[in-house]
């Protein structure tokens, strides 16, 4: 028994003596590591083994090792501190500190490695990854450096670093690694597991921002007073770029760190925000003088402030574009009002000019493109230069008068007609040039509010071109329809245009079949002289009104044959003859020579009154009885034959002479002009073809006002249709939401005025399509 007791006591003493036995061997290796002296492989491996033995055999071994390390670290750091603080010069102090810190921080990775066993023993369980990496010893090294040297020296470090930065801002050179080293020590010293940048952010970053703001606060105002605002903009831009590059070198830029953005915000506030009013005040003159480099500079500066900084510049740009655009248009008003080509070219010139300004000065920023678009939209829809008065007497379902609108869509349609019709303009252009100009039209059309007016006039011109076969390029015509579809024109409108082309192709086949059937039946009398166009009323007609007229016998005889032929092939369809859309060629002969006259059906009916009596005079009243034309149509037709603008010698002469169609009296006498002839270059031609149709009349509407009433009537129907569509889908909706959705639906055709919307809502309520909610008058309910 005594022997056994002595053995147990000996083992216990052995455990307690492990630290005292091994530490003398461990200490020299630790000191070598701290001093970055050479450590042999055996020493390195022995250190691992000794730590393992101490932590395994001595219960208090880990704590003893930690306390011993603290003593050695404190002794070592104290020596470093004395060495660093012995330097009075800031630059030398920085170099000394960074040198010592760099060596020490390197050992913060290597020195903890042999002490992983201690980490595990002190954790009391399976080590985590952080513990396995020697987190406790590493934290101890960093925290002791922080408390022993860094805390007492950090103010001098920051002050010295900021002095170097101050010198650099003034243009002096220095070793940039000194500031980088200081920053890295602030970054790497933190032992906070939540925010590893805490020490850096609370110290270095804050001092850095303060020094930058202080420097530019003192410099900026003086520079502005000495050099003026435009030179100051250049100065501010250069300094901001320099400061941003400097910040990327000296501040922390790891992912998630906001040091650089925070600094730049402070610098922008100091250099730009305080001077925004004076900078923006320069904008109008710079824009007016097209000083692109200075505007680009201004944009860069104000853009750093975000939307708040750019808003005044956006307003100046929009105001300038609108005003200068209107001034240019008014300066050319006498030309562009009468010449659609000049008008469109002026609009495109303005658009190109402003687009180039936005691209070069404002980098095609979407906000500036929006300002350009808003201003250009106002120019296009301006009514002070020329306006389209739309009025209506529709009654309850429509307003009696609406605000005047721009005549731009009508002029756009006229311009398209010049490009697509056989005109001197279309003949001198290549197909590529025509295509470009048509796409320019579509570009302008995007800004037009009353697109339905363009649609109406474009369809009218297309109808004339197709009926008179005056299209310069049939393929281009069809391409134009597809382009209209691509730019968002309403599908029903585009589909009707497509149907018009289909009808023309079907009519060609129908003509061929009709002529072949006449030949097969043995009747070839004048069959080749007739060209039938069967048009779908839904796609073509603007009016179902039919104008009575007595046709020449040669035409009248064909009508029953054509109707019989069509009925045999299309049962259930009915033909309506629209003579107002018809035209033809008649052979005309007088004392001068023989001419082919291209005429409307009405002109043909009038001229055939002289077919059997070419030398006689016929009164207005007798012509009315012979042709059965309504008086307004007869007056218009006779005027086209007695005062055709393009003819130097007219087909008919009137006695007494008239200055307008209204001057024709029932007893006014008309006779064939036996001296009628073509005159070219002052010489009389004895042969030739003469076009007396001009702009083919498509309806019997008597005045421009009546024509415009049709536009308003269609708008009323479209508005009613859209309201019902919305109500049917929503069932219940507020007034504000209804108006918003209504504008969204109709914006590709026209923007309905509030008065029209209100009147159509009241009309639909009155006619039981919808009703107001019993509890809220601003809410509507659909009535199925």
């Amino acid at each position: 028994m005594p022997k056994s007791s002595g053995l147990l006591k000996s083992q216990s003493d052995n455990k307690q003596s492990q630290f005292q036995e091994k530490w003398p061997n461990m200490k020299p290796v630790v000191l070598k590591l701290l001093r970055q002296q050479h450590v042999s492989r055996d020493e390195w491996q022995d250190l691992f083994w000794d730590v393992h033995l101490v932590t395994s055999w001595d219960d208090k071994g880990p704590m003893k090792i930690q306390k011993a390390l603290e003593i050695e670290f404190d002794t070592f750091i104290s020596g470093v501190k004395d060495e660093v603080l012995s330097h009075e010069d800031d630059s030398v102090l920085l170099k000394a500190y960074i040198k010592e810190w760099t060596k020490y921080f390197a050992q913060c990775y290597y020195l903890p490695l042999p002490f992983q066993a201690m980490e595990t023993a002190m954790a009391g369980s399976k080590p985590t990854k952080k513990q396995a990496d020697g987190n406790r010893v590493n934290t101890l090294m960093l925290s002791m450096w922080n408390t022993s040297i860094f805390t007492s020296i950090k103010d001098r470090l920051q002050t010295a670093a900021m002095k170097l930065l101050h010198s650099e801002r003034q243009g002096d050179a220095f070793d940039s690694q000194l500031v980088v080293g200081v920053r890295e020590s602030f970054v790497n010293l933190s032992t906070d597991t939540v925010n590893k940048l805490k020490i850096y952010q609370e110290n270095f970053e804050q001092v850095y921002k303060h020094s930058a703001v202080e420097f530019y606060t003192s410099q900026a105002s003086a520079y502005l007073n000495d050099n003026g605002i435009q030179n100051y903009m250049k100065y501010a831009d250069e300094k901001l770029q320099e400061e941003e590059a400097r910040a990327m070198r000296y501040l922390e830029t790891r992912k998630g760190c906001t040091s650089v953005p925070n600094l730049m915000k402070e610098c922008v506030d100091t250099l730009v925000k305080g001077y925004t009013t004076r900078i923006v005040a320069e904008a109008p003159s710079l824009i007016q003088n097209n000083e692109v480099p200075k505007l680009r500079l201004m944009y860069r500066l104000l853009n750093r402030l975000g939307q708040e900084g750019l808003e005044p510049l956006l307003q100046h740009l929009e105001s300038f574009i609108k005003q200068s655009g209107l001034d240019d248009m008014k300066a050319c008003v006498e030309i562009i009002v009468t010449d659609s080509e000049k008008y469109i070219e002026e609009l495109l010139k303005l658009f190109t000019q402003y687009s180039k300004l936005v691209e070069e000065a404002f980098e095609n920023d979407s906000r500036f493109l929006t300002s350009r678009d808003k201003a250009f939209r106002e120019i296009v829809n301006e009514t002070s230069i020329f306006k389209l008065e739309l009025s209506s007497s529709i009654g309850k379902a429509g307003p009696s008068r609406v605000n005047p609108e721009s005549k731009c869509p009508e002029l756009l349609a006229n311009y398209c007609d010049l490009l697509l019709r056989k005109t001197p303009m279309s003949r001198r252009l290549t197909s590529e040039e025509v295509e470009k100009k048509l796409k320019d039209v579509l570009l302008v059309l995007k800004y037009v509010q009353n697109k339905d007016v363009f649609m109406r006039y474009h369809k009218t011109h297309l109808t004339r071109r197709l009926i008179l076969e005056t299209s310069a390029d049939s393929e281009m015509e069809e391409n134009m329809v597809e382009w209209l579809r691509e730019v968002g024109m309403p599908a029903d409108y585009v589909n009707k245009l497509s149907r018009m082309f289909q009808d023309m192709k079907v009519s060609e086949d129908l003509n061929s079949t009709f002529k072949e059937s006449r030949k097969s039946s043995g009747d070839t009398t004048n069959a080749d002289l007739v060209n039938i166009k069967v048009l779908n009323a839904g796609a073509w007609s603007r009016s179902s009104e039919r104008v009575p007229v007595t046709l020449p016998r040669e035409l009248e005889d064909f009508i029953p044959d054509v109707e019989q032929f069509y009925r045999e092939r299309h049962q259930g369809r009915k033909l309506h003859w629209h003579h107002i859309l018809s035209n033809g060629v008649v052979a005309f002969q007088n004392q001068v020579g023989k001419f082919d006259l291209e005429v409307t059906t009405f002109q043909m009916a009038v001229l055939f009154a002289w077919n059997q009596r070419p030398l006689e005079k016929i009164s207005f009243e007798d012509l009315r009885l012979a042709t059965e034309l309504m008086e307004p149509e007869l007056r218009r037709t006779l005027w086209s034959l007695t005062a055709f603008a393009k003819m130097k010698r007219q087909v008919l002469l009137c006695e007494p002479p008239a200055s307008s169609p209204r001057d024709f009296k029932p007893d006014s006498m008309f006779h064939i002009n036996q001296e009628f002839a073509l005159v070219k270059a002052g010489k009389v031609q004895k042969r030739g073809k003469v076009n007396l149709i001009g702009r083919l009349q498509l309806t019997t509407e008597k005045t421009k006002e009546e024509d415009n009433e049709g536009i308003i009537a269609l708008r009323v129907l479209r508005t009613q249709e859209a309201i019902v569509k919305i109500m049917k889908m929503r069932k219940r909706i507020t007034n504000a939401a209804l108006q918003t959705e209504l504008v969204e639906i109709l914006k590709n055709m026209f923007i309905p005025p509030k008065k029209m919307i209100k009147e159509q809502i009241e009309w639909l309520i009155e006619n039981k399509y919808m009703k107001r909610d019993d509890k809220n008058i601003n809410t509507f309910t659909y009535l199925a």
Side-chain angles (χ1 to χ4, degrees):
M1 289 294 293
K3 263 190 176 181
S4 298
S5 299
L7 180 61
L8 289 173
K9 184 178 180 182
S10 175
Q11 289 176 344
S12 175
D13 292 341
N14 185 48
K15 284 185 179 182
Q16 294 175 3
S17 64
Q18 283 295 323
F19 173 76
Q20 285 83 1
E21 180 183 340
K22 298 298 181 183
W23 178 247
N25 297 329
M26 297 163 59
K27 178 179 176 179
V29 180
V30 171
L31 292 176
K32 283 184 178 182
L33 289 172
L34 284 173
R35 296 165 185 161
Q36 285 197 326
Q37 296 174 349
H38 175 69
V39 176
S40 68
R41 177 176 294 185
D42 291 339
E43 288 176 321
W44 181 251
Q45 291 176 347
D46 288 344
L47 183 58
F48 276 86
W49 179 246
D50 289 342
V51 172
H52 172 70
L53 288 177
V54 173
T55 55
S56 299
W57 290 92
D58 190 340
D59 294 336
K60 297 181 180 181
M63 291 300 300
K64 292 177 181 178
I65 293 175
Q66 180 172 316
K67 289 180 180 179
L69 287 175
E70 288 180 9
I71 294 171
E72 298 306 322
F73 292 162
D74 183 63
T75 303
F76 174 78
I77 293 172
S78 295
V80 171
K81 177 181 178 182
D82 293 339
E83 169 64 23
V84 172
L85 291 177
S86 67
H87 302 291
E88 296 295 332
D89 183 77
D90 288 339
S91 178
V92 177
L93 181 137
L94 276 180
K95 290 179 181 178
Y97 174 81
I98 292 169
K99 177 182 176 182
E100 295 299 334
W101 161 251
T102 303
K103 290 192 296 182
Y104 184 79
F105 183 67
Q107 293 311 309
C108 287
Y109 172 75
Y110 293 107
L111 197 151
L113 295 177
F115 297 92
Q116 290 176 9
M118 183 191 79
E119 299 281 348
T120 304
M122 295 183 74
S125 62
K126 185 177 180 180
T128 63
K129 185 178 184 302
K130 286 186 178 180
Q131 292 163 351
D133 290 339
N135 185 56
R136 188 181 299 271
V137 176
N138 177 274
T139 301
L140 179 63
M141 293 179 72
L142 293 176
S143 61
M144 291 192 69
W145 182 275
N146 190 3
T147 55
S148 297
I149 183 172
F150 181 74
T151 302
S152 61
I153 202 175
K154 69 176 182 180
D155 290 339
R156 284 193 65 186
L157 292 175
Q158 291 178 153
T159 301
M162 295 309 114
K163 285 181 179 179
L164 294 176
L165 289 172
H166 184 86
S167 298
E168 185 179 81
R169 291 186 179 108
Q170 291 182 319
D172 298 333
F174 72 96
D175 184 1
S176 61
Q177 286 304 310
L178 295 177
V179 179
V180 173
V182 173
R183 180 204 69 207
E184 289 180 349
S185 68
F186 278 83
V187 170
N188 296 321
L189 264 175
S190 177
T191 57
D192 191 318
T193 57
V194 177
N195 182 9
K196 296 292 291 182
L197 298 176
K198 184 176 180 181
I199 294 177
Y200 158 79
Q201 291 172 338
E202 292 178 353
N203 295 276
F204 189 84
E205 182 180 325
Q206 293 299 324
V207 172
Y208 192 108
K209 287 193 294 185
H210 177 74
S211 69
V213 170
E214 186 177 38
F215 177 83
Y216 291 117
T217 300
S218 62
Q219 295 284 322
S221 181
Y223 190 94
L224 175 59
N225 293 333
D226 293 341
N227 300 278
I229 188 64
Q230 293 190 17
N231 288 325
Y232 175 78
M233 288 193 298
K234 185 177 180 181
Y235 164 81
D237 184 62
E238 289 176 352
K239 294 306 174 185
L240 287 172
Q241 291 184 43
E242 289 176 9
E243 200 59 42
E244 189 166 18
R246 186 176 295 117
M248 295 299 292
R249 291 197 302 272
Y250 300 136
L251 291 178
E252 186 62 26
T253 57
R254 70 175 66 178
K255 185 177 180 180
C257 183
T258 59
S259 294
V260 176
N262 291 343
L263 171 74
M264 293 313 298
K265 181 182 183 304
E266 297 283 351
C267 292
V268 169
D269 287 348
T270 303
L271 287 168
V272 182
K273 191 172 185 178
Y275 305 96
T276 301
T277 303
R278 295 184 65 176
I279 292 174
V280 172
E282 297 294 309
S285 62
L286 295 180
I287 295 174
Q288 184 174 357
N289 297 325
N290 198 38
E291 296 193 42
V292 171
K294 292 181 179 179
L295 285 171
R296 191 185 303 122
L297 186 61
M298 181 182 292
Y299 164 73
R300 281 204 304 269
L301 288 175
L302 297 177
N303 192 36
R304 291 179 180 272
L305 294 171
Q307 185 65 27
E308 178 186 357
L310 287 177
E311 192 60 40
L313 185 55
L314 290 168
Q315 293 175 2
H316 281 306
L317 177 68
E318 184 178 337
S319 176
F320 168 77
I321 291 177
K322 179 184 176 183
Q323 192 57 52
S324 65
L326 292 177
D327 290 343
D328 286 350
M329 300 293 281
K330 289 175 181 177
C332 309
V333 66
E334 294 182 1
I335 299 175
I336 63 177
V337 168
T338 57
D339 189 337
S340 59
E341 180 181 359
K342 296 292 184 184
Y343 171 68
I344 302 303
E345 287 178 352
E346 183 66 20
L347 278 179
L348 291 173
K349 185 192 81 173
L350 292 172
F351 185 81
T352 302
Q353 175 185 334
Y354 304 142
S355 298
K356 184 178 180 182
L357 176 63
V358 172
E359 178 184 4
E360 294 180 351
F362 309 115
E363 300 177 5
N364 266 346
D365 188 312
S366 60
R367 293 165 291 188
F368 286 85
L369 290 173
T370 300
S371 289
R372 177 206 64 184
D373 290 347
K374 287 169 64 177
F376 196 69
R377 186 174 287 110
E378 291 197 41
I379 296 172
V380 167
N381 295 289
E382 176 61 39
T383 58
S384 63
I385 302 173
F386 38 63
K387 57 189 175 183
L388 180 68
E389 290 282 2
L390 296 180
S391 61
S392 174
S393 56
I394 299 170
K396 278 189 177 181
S400 58
R401 181 167 293 278
V402 297
N403 294 330
E405 296 180 0
S406 170
K407 206 174 181 182
C408 176
E410 180 183 344
L411 296 175
L412 282 173
N414 293 344
Y415 185 61
C416 286
D417 185 51
L418 288 173
L419 293 168
L420 294 168
R421 183 162 48 90
K422 294 175 183 176
T423 60
M425 179 181 175
S426 63
R427 290 190 186 99
R428 74 171 182 263
L429 298 174
T430 64
S431 59
E432 291 78 12
E433 291 172 330
V434 171
E435 179 177 337
K436 182 183 182 303
K437 288 183 178 293
L438 288 173
K439 289 189 174 180
D440 287 341
V441 170
L442 298 176
L443 175 65
V444 176
L445 184 61
K446 181 178 74 171
Y447 299 96
V448 172
Q449 288 183 346
N450 49 336
K451 295 183 178 68
D452 57 334
V453 176
F454 170 83
M455 299 173 195
R456 188 177 183 87
Y457 282 102
H458 179 69
K459 183 180 178 183
T460 299
H461 294 315
L462 176 60
T463 300
R464 288 195 182 102
R465 293 195 298 273
L466 293 179
I467 290 175
L468 298 176
E469 299 178 356
T470 57
S471 291
D473 186 337
S474 57
E475 183 179 354
M476 193 69 70
E477 290 276 17
E478 296 189 40
N479 288 342
M480 181 64 180
V481 174
E482 291 306 310
W483 294 335
L484 288 172
R485 190 190 304 277
E486 290 172 5
V487 298
M489 291 296 103
D492 58 341
Y493 166 74
V494 179
N495 291 338
K496 285 182 179 180
L497 297 185
S498 298
R499 183 61 185 272
M500 291 168 71
F501 289 107
Q502 294 175 10
D503 287 349
M504 296 305 294
K505 292 173 182 176
V506 170
S507 294
E508 290 179 10
D509 297 337
L510 188 69
N511 271 293
S512 300
T513 308
F514 176 71
K515 291 172 182 177
E516 288 173 4
S517 67
R518 298 275 292 190
K519 290 177 182 178
S520 61
S521 64
D523 185 1
T524 59
T525 307
N526 295 328
D528 291 335
L529 301 179
V530 177
N531 186 3
I532 308 163
K533 290 183 174 68
V534 180
L535 312 177
N536 183 283
W540 291 75
S541 293
R542 289 176 57 188
S543 171
S544 60
E545 183 179 359
R546 296 166 64 190
V547 183
V549 62
T550 300
L551 296 175
R553 181 176 56 81
E554 290 83 350
L555 289 179
E556 194 71 47
D557 292 344
F558 272 102
I559 290 180
D561 295 341
V562 172
E563 290 183 341
Q564 178 61 30
F565 169 78
Y566 191 77
R567 278 196 299 268
E568 291 173 357
R569 284 158 178 77
H570 302 282
Q571 295 183 3
R573 298 185 187 178
K574 188 175 182 180
L575 291 177
H576 294 281
W577 294 89
H578 283 265
H579 302 303
I580 197 169
L581 301 179
S582 304
N583 63 93
V585 179
V586 297
F588 177 88
Q589 183 175 354
N590 62 3
Q591 296 174 359
V592 178
K594 294 181 179 180
F595 305 93
D596 290 331
L597 304 182
E598 295 181 44
V599 293
T600 66
T601 304
F602 296 163
Q603 290 172 328
M604 187 184 299
V606 169
L607 291 175
F608 265 74
W610 279 277
N611 207 28
Q612 303 300 324
R613 41 183 179 174
L615 301 178
E616 293 187 17
K617 295 181 179 181
I618 304 176
S619 69
F620 179 88
E621 181 62 22
D622 289 342
L623 286 172
R624 187 181 67 80
L625 295 173
T627 61
E628 293 188 281
L629 281 170
M630 295 183 295
E631 186 172 311
E633 295 302 325
L634 180 59
R635 290 180 181 275
R636 186 182 290 112
T637 301
L638 284 171
W639 183 253
S640 70
L641 294 171
T642 59
F644 194 70
K646 295 182 179 179
M647 299 301 299
K648 295 184 178 180
R649 299 187 183 185
Q650 302 298 327
V651 177
L652 297 183
L653 298 176
C654 174
E655 296 178 1
S659 58
S660 73
R662 292 191 297 272
D663 294 340
F664 295 147
K665 308 297 183 191
D667 57 351
S668 294
M669 302 302 291
F670 299 86
H671 61 91
I672 298 291
N673 181 8
Q674 294 300 326
E675 294 183 358
F676 169 80
L678 269 176
V679 181
K680 293 183 179 180
K683 294 183 179 180
V684 175
Q685 309 292 315
K686 294 184 178 181
R687 295 285 188 275
K689 195 170 187 177
V690 182
N691 187 331
L692 296 175
I693 297 175
R695 306 300 286 138
L696 178 66
Q697 182 187 341
L698 301 179
T699 68
T700 58
E701 293 168 329
K702 303 174 183 62
T703 65
K704 193 73 171 178
E705 288 73 17
E706 290 173 336
D707 186 48
N708 292 337
E709 282 186 11
I711 296 175
I712 293 298
L714 183 58
R715 287 184 180 181
V716 167
L717 293 175
R718 292 285 192 187
T719 304
Q720 293 174 358
E721 179 187 49
I723 293 174
V724 172
K725 180 180 179 181
I726 294 169
M727 294 302 304
K728 191 172 183 179
M729 180 173 61
R730 301 296 185 196
K731 305 301 182 185
R732 179 183 175 86
I733 193 171
T734 64
N735 183 40
L738 175 62
Q739 294 201 30
T740 300
E741 291 196 29
L742 183 63
V743 171
E744 186 65 26
I745 290 176
L746 297 176
K747 68 180 181 181
N748 282 338
M749 294 182 285
F750 62 94
I751 303 296
K754 290 184 179 180
K755 182 179 179 183
M756 177 183 284
I757 295 174
K758 181 179 178 182
E759 289 177 345
Q760 300 324 306
I761 289 175
E762 295 300 331
W763 187 86
L764 290 170
I765 291 174
E766 187 177 324
N767 287 272
K768 309 300 182 184
Y769 288 94
M770 56 193 287
K771 71 173 185 177
R772 295 185 185 276
D773 186 78
D774 296 334
K775 297 180 180 179
N776 186 350
I777 62 172
N778 289 318
T779 301
F780 303 110
T781 304
Y782 176 64
L783 297 177

